[in-house]
Amino acid sequence: MRLRVEFTTEPFDLDEAPDHAVVAREVVTGAELDAVDVGPFGNTAEGEAERVLTAVDALLRQSLAAGATRVSLQVNVVPEGDGNGEAER
């Protein structure tokens, strides 16, 4: 099974990335996940289920320890299919 995680950490700082945001991004970029996309208002990563779940655990623990006051995340199962998010019929 493959999973996709989308997440943001708060509080936001538009002038400079806060420590918690930097830590969260380092976790996902170092987790051997596929299709990592990091942005100022949201981040996504996709990969094998166990790797994603391990990364989510580390993301929560480390970003909260680095000062995040809120972490919003969504985890979705990536459907088997043609690669555009649609399941085969």
Coordinates of all heavy atoms in Angstrom, one line a residue:
M1 N 0.8 -1.2 0.0 CA 0.0 0.0 0.0 C 0.9 1.2 0.0 O 1.9 1.3 0.7 CB -0.9 0.0 1.2 CG -1.7 1.2 1.4 SD -2.7 1.4 3.0 CE -3.1 -0.2 3.4
R2 N 0.4 2.2 -0.8 CA 1.1 3.5 -0.8 C 0.3 4.6 -0.1 O -1.0 4.5 -0.2 CB 1.4 3.9 -2.2 CG 2.5 3.0 -2.9 CD 2.8 3.5 -4.3 NE 3.3 4.9 -4.4 CZ 4.5 5.2 -4.1 NH1 5.4 4.4 -3.7 NH2 4.9 6.5 -4.2
L3 N 0.9 5.5 0.5 CA 0.2 6.6 1.2 C 0.8 7.9 0.8 O 1.9 8.1 0.4 CB 0.4 6.5 2.7 CG -0.1 5.2 3.4 CD1 0.2 5.2 4.9 CD2 -1.6 5.1 3.2
R4 N -0.1 8.9 0.8 CA 0.3 10.3 0.6 C 0.0 11.1 1.9 O -1.1 11.0 2.4 CB -0.5 10.9 -0.6 CG -0.1 12.4 -0.8 CD -0.9 13.0 -2.0 NE -0.6 12.2 -3.2 CZ -1.6 11.6 -3.9 NH1 -2.8 11.6 -3.5 NH2 -1.3 10.9 -5.0
V5 N 1.0 11.9 2.3 CA 0.7 12.7 3.5 C 0.9 14.2 3.1 O 1.7 14.5 2.3 CB 1.7 12.4 4.7 CG1 3.2 12.6 4.2 CG2 1.4 13.2 5.9
E6 N -0.1 15.0 3.5 CA 0.0 16.5 3.3 C 0.0 17.1 4.7 O -0.8 16.7 5.6 CB -1.3 16.9 2.6 CG -1.5 16.3 1.2 CD -2.8 16.6 0.6 OE1 -3.2 17.8 0.6 OE2 -3.4 15.7 0.1
F7 N 0.9 18.1 4.9 CA 0.9 18.6 6.3 C 1.4 20.1 6.3 O 2.0 20.5 5.3 CB 1.9 17.8 7.2 CG 3.3 17.9 6.7 CD1 4.2 18.9 7.3 CD2 3.9 17.0 5.8 CE1 5.5 18.9 6.9 CE2 5.2 17.1 5.4 CZ 6.0 18.1 6.0
T8 N 1.0 20.8 7.3 CA 1.5 22.1 7.6 C 1.8 22.2 9.1 O 1.2 21.4 9.9 CB 0.5 23.2 7.3 OG1 -0.7 23.0 8.0 CG2 0.2 23.3 5.8
T9 N 2.8 23.0 9.5 CA 3.1 23.3 10.9 C 2.8 24.8 11.2 O 2.9 25.6 10.3 CB 4.5 22.9 11.2 OG1 5.4 23.7 10.5 CG2 4.8 21.4 11.0
E10 N 2.5 25.1 12.4 CA 2.2 26.4 12.8 C 2.9 26.7 14.1 O 3.2 25.8 14.8 CB 0.7 26.6 13.0 CG -0.1 26.5 11.7 CD -1.6 26.7 11.9 OE1 -2.0 27.6 12.7 OE2 -2.4 26.0 11.2
P11 N 3.2 27.9 14.4 CA 2.7 29.2 13.8 C 3.5 29.5 12.5 O 4.7 29.1 12.4 CB 3.0 30.2 14.8 CG 4.1 29.7 15.6 CD 4.0 28.2 15.6
F12 N 2.9 30.2 11.6 CA 3.5 30.6 10.3 C 4.4 31.8 10.6 O 4.1 32.6 11.5 CB 2.4 31.1 9.3 CG 1.6 29.9 8.8 CD1 0.2 29.9 9.2 CD2 2.1 28.9 8.1 CE1 -0.6 28.9 8.7 CE2 1.3 27.8 7.7 CZ 0.0 27.8 8.0
D13 N 5.4 32.0 9.7 CA 6.2 33.2 9.7 C 6.6 33.3 8.2 O 7.3 32.5 7.7 CB 7.5 33.0 10.6 CG 8.4 34.2 10.6 OD1 8.2 35.1 9.7 OD2 9.2 34.3 11.5
L14 N 6.0 34.4 7.6 CA 6.3 34.6 6.2 C 7.7 35.2 5.9 O 8.1 35.1 4.8 CB 5.2 35.5 5.6 CG 3.8 34.9 5.7 CD1 2.8 35.9 5.1 CD2 3.7 33.6 4.9
D15 N 8.3 35.7 6.9 CA 9.7 36.3 6.7 C 10.8 35.2 6.7 O 11.7 35.3 5.9 CB 10.0 37.4 7.7 CG 9.0 38.6 7.6 OD1 8.6 38.9 6.4 OD2 8.7 39.1 8.6
E16 N 10.6 34.3 7.6 CA 11.7 33.3 7.7 C 11.0 32.0 8.2 O 10.2 32.0 9.1 CB 12.7 33.7 8.7 CG 13.9 32.8 8.9 CD 14.9 33.4 9.9 OE1 15.0 34.6 10.0 OE2 15.6 32.6 10.5
A17 N 11.5 30.8 7.6 CA 10.9 29.6 8.0 C 11.3 29.3 9.5 O 12.4 29.3 9.9 CB 11.5 28.4 7.2
P18 N 10.2 29.0 10.3 CA 10.5 28.7 11.7 C 11.2 27.4 11.9 O 11.1 26.5 11.0 CB 9.1 28.7 12.4 CG 8.1 29.1 11.3 CD 8.8 29.1 10.0
D19 N 11.8 27.2 13.0 CA 12.6 26.0 13.3 C 11.7 24.7 13.1 O 12.1 23.7 12.5 CB 13.1 26.0 14.7 CG 14.3 26.9 14.9 OD1 14.9 27.4 13.9 OD2 14.6 27.3 16.1
H20 N 10.5 24.8 13.6 CA 9.6 23.6 13.5 C 9.3 23.3 12.0 O 9.2 22.1 11.7 CB 8.3 23.8 14.3 CG 7.5 25.0 13.9 ND1 6.6 25.0 12.8 CD2 7.4 26.2 14.4 CE1 6.1 26.1 12.7 NE2 6.5 26.9 13.6
A21 N 9.2 24.3 11.2 CA 8.9 24.0 9.7 C 10.2 23.4 9.1 O 10.1 22.5 8.3 CB 8.5 25.3 9.0
V22 N 11.3 23.9 9.4 CA 12.6 23.4 8.9 C 12.8 21.9 9.3 O 13.1 21.0 8.5 CB 13.8 24.2 9.3 CG1 15.1 23.6 8.9 CG2 13.7 25.6 8.8
V23 N 12.5 21.6 10.6 CA 12.6 20.3 11.1 C 11.7 19.3 10.4 O 12.0 18.2 9.9 CB 12.4 20.2 12.6 CG1 12.2 18.8 13.1 CG2 13.5 20.9 13.4
A24 N 10.4 19.8 10.2 CA 9.4 18.9 9.5 C 9.8 18.6 8.1 O 9.7 17.5 7.6 CB 8.1 19.6 9.5
R25 N 10.4 19.6 7.4 CA 10.8 19.4 6.0 C 12.0 18.5 6.0 O 12.1 17.6 5.1 CB 11.1 20.7 5.4 CG 9.9 21.5 5.2 CD 10.1 22.9 4.7 NE 8.9 23.7 4.7 CZ 8.8 25.0 4.6 NH1 9.9 25.7 4.5 NH2 7.7 25.6 4.5
E26 N 12.9 18.6 6.9 CA 14.1 17.7 7.0 C 13.6 16.3 7.2 O 14.2 15.4 6.6 CB 15.1 18.2 8.0 CG 15.8 19.4 7.7 CD 16.7 20.0 8.8 OE1 16.6 19.5 9.9 OE2 17.4 20.9 8.5
V27 N 12.6 16.1 8.0 CA 12.1 14.7 8.3 C 11.6 14.1 7.0 O 12.0 13.0 6.6 CB 11.0 14.7 9.4 CG1 10.3 13.4 9.4 CG2 11.6 15.0 10.7
V28 N 10.8 14.8 6.2 CA 10.2 14.1 5.0 C 11.2 14.0 3.9 O 11.2 13.0 3.2 CB 8.9 14.8 4.5 CG1 7.8 14.7 5.5 CG2 9.2 16.2 4.2
T29 N 12.1 15.0 3.8 CA 13.1 14.9 2.7 C 14.2 13.8 3.0 O 14.7 13.2 2.1 CB 13.8 16.2 2.4 OG1 14.4 16.7 3.6 CG2 12.9 17.2 1.9
G30 N 14.4 13.5 4.3 CA 15.3 12.4 4.7 C 14.7 11.1 4.9 O 15.4 10.1 5.2
A31 N 13.4 10.9 4.6 CA 12.7 9.7 4.9 C 12.6 8.7 3.8 O 11.9 7.7 3.8 CB 11.3 10.0 5.4
E32 N 13.3 8.9 2.7 CA 13.3 8.0 1.5 C 11.9 7.9 1.0 O 11.4 6.8 0.7 CB 13.9 6.7 1.8 CG 15.4 6.8 2.2 CD 16.0 5.4 2.5 OE1 15.6 4.4 1.8 OE2 16.9 5.3 3.3
L33 N 11.1 9.0 0.9 CA 9.8 9.0 0.4 C 9.9 9.5 -1.1 O 10.8 10.1 -1.5 CB 8.9 9.9 1.2 CG 8.7 9.5 2.6 CD1 7.9 10.6 3.4 CD2 8.1 8.2 2.8
D34 N 8.8 9.2 -1.8 CA 8.7 9.6 -3.2 C 7.9 10.9 -3.3 O 7.1 11.2 -2.5 CB 8.0 8.5 -4.1 CG 8.6 7.1 -3.9 OD1 9.8 7.0 -3.7 OD2 7.8 6.2 -3.8
A35 N 8.1 11.6 -4.4 CA 7.3 12.8 -4.7 C 7.2 13.7 -3.6 O 6.1 14.2 -3.3 CB 5.9 12.3 -5.2
V36 N 8.3 14.1 -3.0 CA 8.2 15.1 -1.9 C 8.1 16.5 -2.5 O 8.9 16.8 -3.4 CB 9.5 15.0 -1.0 CG1 9.5 16.1 0.0 CG2 9.6 13.6 -0.4
D37 N 7.2 17.3 -2.0 CA 7.0 18.6 -2.5 C 6.8 19.5 -1.3 O 5.9 19.4 -0.5 CB 5.7 18.7 -3.4 CG 5.5 20.1 -3.9 OD1 6.4 20.9 -4.0 OD2 4.3 20.4 -4.3
V38 N 7.8 20.4 -1.1 CA 7.8 21.3 0.0 C 7.5 22.7 -0.4 O 8.1 23.2 -1.4 CB 9.2 21.3 0.7 CG1 9.1 21.4 2.2 CG2 10.0 20.1 0.4
G39 N 6.6 23.4 0.3 CA 6.2 24.7 0.0 C 6.0 25.5 1.2 O 6.0 25.0 2.3
P40 N 5.8 26.8 1.0 CA 5.6 27.7 2.2 C 4.3 27.5 3.0 O 4.3 27.8 4.1 CB 5.7 29.1 1.6 CG 5.3 28.9 0.1 CD 5.7 27.6 -0.2
F41 N 3.3 27.0 2.3 CA 2.0 26.8 3.0 C 1.5 25.4 3.1 O 0.5 25.1 3.7 CB 0.9 27.6 2.3 CG 1.3 29.1 2.2 CD1 1.6 29.7 1.0 CD2 1.2 29.9 3.4 CE1 2.0 31.1 1.0 CE2 1.5 31.2 3.4 CZ 1.9 31.8 2.2
G42 N 2.3 24.5 2.6 CA 1.9 23.1 2.7 C 3.0 22.2 2.1 O 3.8 22.6 1.2
N43 N 3.0 21.0 2.5 CA 4.0 20.0 2.1 C 3.3 18.7 1.8 O 2.4 18.3 2.5 CB 5.1 19.8 3.2 CG 5.6 21.1 3.7 OD1 6.4 21.8 3.0 ND2 5.1 21.6 4.8
T44 N 3.8 18.0 0.8 CA 3.3 16.6 0.5 C 4.4 15.7 0.3 O 5.5 16.1 -0.2 CB 2.4 16.6 -0.7 OG1 3.1 17.0 -1.9 CG2 1.1 17.5 -0.6
A45 N 4.2 14.4 0.6 CA 5.1 13.4 0.3 C 4.3 12.1 0.1 O 3.2 11.9 0.7 CB 6.1 13.2 1.4
E46 N 4.9 11.2 -0.7 CA 4.2 9.9 -1.0 C 5.2 8.8 -0.9 O 6.4 9.0 -1.2 CB 3.7 10.1 -2.4 CG 2.8 8.9 -2.8 CD 2.2 9.2 -4.2 OE1 1.6 10.2 -4.4 OE2 2.5 8.3 -5.1
G47 N 4.8 7.6 -0.5 CA 5.7 6.5 -0.5 C 5.0 5.3 0.1 O 3.8 5.2 0.3
E48 N 5.8 4.3 0.3 CA 5.4 3.0 0.9 C 4.8 3.3 2.3 O 5.3 4.1 3.0 CB 6.6 2.0 0.9 CG 6.2 0.6 1.3 CD 6.3 0.4 2.8 OE1 7.1 1.0 3.5 OE2 5.5 -0.4 3.3
A49 N 3.7 2.6 2.6 CA 3.0 2.9 3.8 C 3.8 2.9 5.1 O 3.8 3.9 5.9 CB 1.8 1.9 4.0
E50 N 4.7 2.0 5.3 CA 5.5 1.9 6.5 C 6.4 3.1 6.6 O 6.6 3.7 7.7 CB 6.3 0.6 6.6 CG 6.9 0.4 8.0 CD 5.9 0.4 9.1 OE1 4.8 -0.1 9.0 OE2 6.3 0.9 10.2
R51 N 7.0 3.5 5.5 CA 7.9 4.7 5.5 C 7.2 6.0 5.8 O 7.7 6.8 6.5 CB 8.7 4.8 4.2 CG 9.7 3.7 4.0 CD 10.5 3.9 2.8 NE 11.6 2.9 2.7 CZ 12.3 2.7 1.7 NH1 12.2 3.4 0.6 NH2 13.2 1.7 1.7
V52 N 6.0 6.1 5.2 CA 5.2 7.3 5.4 C 4.8 7.4 6.9 O 4.9 8.4 7.5 CB 3.9 7.4 4.5 CG1 3.0 8.5 4.9 CG2 4.4 7.5 3.0
L53 N 4.3 6.3 7.4 CA 3.9 6.3 8.8 C 5.0 6.5 9.8 O 4.9 7.3 10.8 CB 3.2 4.9 9.2 CG 1.9 4.7 8.4 CD1 1.4 3.3 8.7 CD2 0.8 5.7 8.8
T54 N 6.2 6.0 9.5 CA 7.4 6.3 10.3 C 7.7 7.8 10.2 O 8.1 8.4 11.2 CB 8.6 5.4 9.9 OG1 8.2 4.0 10.0 CG2 9.8 5.7 10.6
A55 N 7.7 8.3 9.0 CA 8.0 9.7 8.8 C 7.0 10.6 9.6 O 7.3 11.6 10.2 CB 8.0 10.1 7.3
V56 N 5.7 10.2 9.5 CA 4.6 11.0 10.2 C 4.9 11.0 11.7 O 4.8 12.1 12.4 CB 3.2 10.5 9.9 CG1 2.2 11.0 10.9 CG2 2.9 10.8 8.5
D57 N 5.3 9.9 12.3 CA 5.6 9.8 13.7 C 6.8 10.8 14.0 O 6.7 11.6 15.0 CB 6.0 8.4 14.1 CG 6.4 8.3 15.5 OD1 5.6 8.5 16.4 OD2 7.6 7.9 15.8
A58 N 7.8 10.7 13.2 CA 9.0 11.6 13.5 C 8.6 13.0 13.2 O 9.1 13.9 14.0 CB 10.1 11.2 12.5
L59 N 7.8 13.3 12.2 CA 7.4 14.7 11.9 C 6.7 15.3 13.1 O 7.0 16.4 13.5 CB 6.5 14.6 10.7 CG 5.6 15.8 10.4 CD1 6.4 17.0 9.9 CD2 4.5 15.5 9.4
L60 N 5.7 14.5 13.7 CA 5.0 15.1 14.8 C 5.9 15.3 16.0 O 5.9 16.4 16.6 CB 3.8 14.1 15.2 CG 2.7 14.0 14.2 CD1 1.8 12.9 14.5 CD2 1.9 15.3 14.1
R61 N 6.6 14.3 16.4 CA 7.5 14.4 17.6 C 8.5 15.5 17.4 O 8.7 16.3 18.3 CB 8.2 13.1 17.8 CG 7.3 12.0 18.2 CD 8.0 10.6 18.4 NE 7.1 9.5 18.6 CZ 6.6 9.2 19.7 NH1 6.9 9.8 20.8 NH2 5.7 8.1 19.8
Q62 N 9.2 15.6 16.3 CA 10.3 16.5 16.2 C 9.8 18.0 15.9 O 10.4 18.9 16.4 CB 11.2 16.1 15.1 CG 12.0 14.8 15.4 CD 12.9 14.3 14.3 OE1 13.5 15.1 13.6 NE2 13.0 13.0 14.2
S63 N 8.7 18.1 15.2 CA 8.3 19.5 14.9 C 7.6 20.1 16.2 O 7.8 21.3 16.5 CB 7.3 19.6 13.7 OG 6.2 18.8 14.0
L64 N 6.9 19.3 17.0 CA 6.4 19.8 18.3 C 7.5 20.1 19.2 O 7.5 21.2 19.9 CB 5.5 18.8 18.9 CG 4.1 18.6 18.1 CD1 3.4 17.3 18.6 CD2 3.3 19.8 18.2
A65 N 8.6 19.3 19.3 CA 9.7 19.6 20.1 C 10.5 20.8 19.7 O 11.1 21.5 20.5 CB 10.7 18.4 20.1
A66 N 10.3 21.2 18.4 CA 11.0 22.4 17.8 C 10.2 23.6 17.9 O 10.5 24.7 17.4 CB 11.5 22.1 16.4
G67 N 9.0 23.5 18.5 CA 8.2 24.7 18.8 C 6.9 24.8 18.0 O 6.2 25.8 18.1
A68 N 6.5 23.8 17.2 CA 5.2 23.9 16.6 C 4.1 23.9 17.6 O 4.2 23.2 18.6 CB 5.0 22.7 15.6
T69 N 3.1 24.7 17.4 CA 1.9 24.8 18.3 C 0.8 24.0 17.7 O -0.2 23.8 18.4 CB 1.5 26.2 18.6 OG1 1.2 26.9 17.4 CG2 2.6 26.9 19.4
R70 N 0.9 23.7 16.4 CA -0.2 23.0 15.7 C 0.4 22.3 14.5 O 1.2 22.9 13.8 CB -1.3 23.9 15.3 CG -2.4 23.3 14.5 CD -3.4 24.3 14.1 NE -4.5 23.7 13.4 CZ -5.8 24.0 13.5 NH1 -6.1 25.0 14.3 NH2 -6.7 23.4 12.9
V71 N 0.0 21.1 14.3 CA 0.4 20.3 13.1 C -0.9 19.8 12.5 O -1.6 19.1 13.1 CB 1.4 19.2 13.4 CG1 1.8 18.4 12.1 CG2 2.6 19.7 14.1
S72 N -1.1 20.2 11.2 CA -2.3 19.7 10.5 C -1.8 18.8 9.5 O -0.9 19.1 8.7 CB -3.0 20.9 9.8 OG -3.4 21.8 10.8
L73 N -2.4 17.6 9.5 CA -2.0 16.6 8.4 C -3.1 15.8 8.0 O -4.1 15.6 8.7 CB -0.8 15.8 8.9 CG -1.0 14.8 10.1 CD1 -1.5 13.4 9.6 CD2 0.3 14.7 10.8
Q74 N -3.0 15.3 6.8 CA -3.9 14.4 6.2 C -3.2 13.3 5.5 O -2.1 13.5 4.9 CB -4.7 15.2 5.1 CG -5.8 14.3 4.4 CD -6.6 15.2 3.5 OE1 -7.0 16.3 3.8 NE2 -7.0 14.6 2.4
V75 N -3.6 12.0 5.7 CA -3.0 10.9 5.1 C -4.0 10.2 4.3 O -5.1 9.9 4.7 CB -2.4 9.9 6.2 CG1 -1.8 8.7 5.6 CG2 -1.4 10.6 7.1
N76 N -3.7 9.9 3.0 CA -4.6 9.3 2.1 C -3.9 8.0 1.5 O -2.7 8.0 1.2 CB -4.9 10.2 0.9 CG -5.7 11.4 1.4 OD1 -6.8 11.2 1.9 ND2 -5.2 12.6 1.2
V77 N -4.7 7.0 1.3 CA -4.2 5.9 0.5 C -4.2 6.3 -0.9 O -5.1 6.9 -1.5 CB -5.2 4.6 0.7 CG1 -4.8 3.5 -0.2 CG2 -5.2 4.2 2.2
V78 N -3.1 6.0 -1.6 CA -2.9 6.3 -3.0 C -3.6 5.1 -3.8 O -3.1 4.0 -3.6 CB -1.5 6.5 -3.4 CG1 -1.3 6.7 -4.9 CG2 -0.8 7.6 -2.6
P79 N -4.6 5.4 -4.6 CA -5.3 4.3 -5.3 C -4.4 3.7 -6.4 O -3.6 4.4 -7.0 CB -6.5 5.0 -5.9 CG -6.3 6.5 -5.9 CD -5.2 6.7 -4.8
E80 N -4.5 2.4 -6.5 CA -3.8 1.7 -7.6 C -4.5 2.2 -8.9 O -5.7 2.4 -9.0 CB -4.1 0.2 -7.5 CG -3.5 -0.4 -6.3 CD -2.0 -0.5 -6.2 OE1 -1.4 -0.6 -7.3 OE2 -1.4 -0.3 -5.1
G81 N -3.7 2.5 -9.9 CA -4.3 3.1 -11.1 C -3.3 3.6 -12.1 O -2.1 3.1 -12.1
D82 N -3.7 4.5 -12.8 CA -2.9 5.0 -13.9 C -2.0 6.2 -13.6 O -1.5 6.8 -14.5 CB -3.8 5.4 -15.1 CG -4.8 6.5 -14.7 OD1 -4.7 7.0 -13.6 OD2 -5.7 6.8 -15.5
G83 N -1.8 6.4 -12.3 CA -0.9 7.5 -11.9 C -1.5 8.9 -11.8 O -0.8 9.8 -11.4
N84 N -2.7 9.0 -12.1 CA -3.3 10.4 -12.0 C -4.3 10.5 -10.9 O -5.2 11.4 -10.9 CB -3.9 10.8 -13.3 CG -5.2 10.0 -13.7 OD1 -5.6 9.2 -12.9 ND2 -5.7 10.3 -14.9
G85 N -4.2 9.5 -9.9 CA -5.1 9.6 -8.8 C -6.4 8.9 -8.9 O -7.3 8.9 -8.0
E86 N -6.7 8.3 -10.1 CA -7.9 7.6 -10.3 C -7.7 6.1 -10.2 O -6.7 5.6 -10.8 CB -8.5 7.9 -11.7 CG -8.9 9.4 -11.8 CD -9.6 9.6 -13.2 OE1 -10.1 8.7 -13.8 OE2 -9.6 10.8 -13.5
A87 N -8.5 5.4 -9.5 CA -8.4 4.0 -9.4 C -8.8 3.3 -10.7 O -9.7 3.8 -11.4 CB -9.3 3.5 -8.3
E88 N -8.2 2.1 -10.9 CA -8.6 1.3 -12.1 C -9.9 0.8 -11.9 O -10.3 0.4 -10.8 CB -7.5 0.2 -12.3 CG -6.2 0.7 -12.8 CD -5.3 -0.5 -13.1 OE1 -5.7 -1.6 -13.0 OE2 -4.1 -0.2 -13.4
R89 N -10.7 0.6 -12.9 CA -12.0 0.0 -12.9 C -12.1 -1.3 -13.5 O -11.4 -1.6 -14.4 CB -13.1 0.9 -13.5 CG -13.1 2.3 -12.8 CD -14.1 3.2 -13.6 NE -13.8 4.5 -13.1 CZ -14.7 5.2 -12.4 NH1 -15.8 4.7 -12.1 NH2 -14.4 6.5 -12.1

